Amino acid sequence: MPTPAVARTDMYSAVKTTWDAGAATSGKTLIYDNVTSDVPQAESGSTGDPDLWGAVRVENNVSSVRSLRGDGGVRRFRRMGFVVLEVYTPAGNGLSSADAVVKVVLDGIEGQTTANGVYFRNAQVREEGVSGPWFLTVITVEFEYDEVK
């Protein structure tokens, strides 16, 4: 039964492990929310393809009481939200790069449970479209875990 901080670390670790293991994503940049990092840039006027990259964040959403206080005075709280992964692939090359990344991510975390009990489910994939040299695909996966306090 993780704390919110432990759960967030679990979620980032699950995404990073999946990202690093995928043939389409291994060695590619993955940026975390609220961490200063260089966003990959295509060279100005470049006709070459920029590398794909991703940005991940955790969005906490709903919390509810799941039990009454027991003899020890503790209760169980259900925490739910979303892991959001923005995937930037080269624009103008079709969706094969984005599809490969989506497969890596969904195969790696959808339906999985971390060692500390964070469960991933109900993935959604949205192809957002072209933004400069990138094509943006957003993968949103629901998570839930219980905290006891």
Side-chain angles (χ1 to χ4, degrees), residues 89-111:
T89 56
N93 288 342
L95 296 178
S96 60
S97 297
D99 289 343
V101 175
V102 167
K103 180 159 179 43
V104 165
V105 173
L106 295 185
D107 287 353
I109 66 172
E110 189 175 33

Side-chain angles (χ1 to χ4, degrees), residues 38-112:
D38 291 332
V39 173
Q41 301 291 322
E43 293 180 27
S44 180
S46 171
T47 56
D49 294 330
D51 250 354
L52 72 86
W53 60 282
V56 63
R57 68 181 181 274
V58 172
E59 297 178 356
N60 290 286
N61 189 8
V62 177
S63 183
S64 61
V65 177
R66 302 299 290 178
S67 69
L68 301 174
R69 286 194 194 274
D71 290 338
V74 298
R75 292 188 291 180
R76 180 183 305 256
F77 294 84
R78 173 78 33 95
R79 311 286 188 211
M80 294 176 278
F82 304 99
V83 174
V84 180
L85 178 60
E86 296 177 347
V87 178
Y88 296 86
T89 56
N93 288 342
L95 296 178
S96 60
S97 297
D99 289 343
V101 175
V102 167
K103 180 159 179 43
V104 165
V105 173
L106 295 185
D107 287 353
I109 66 172
E110 189 175 33
Q112 301 297 316

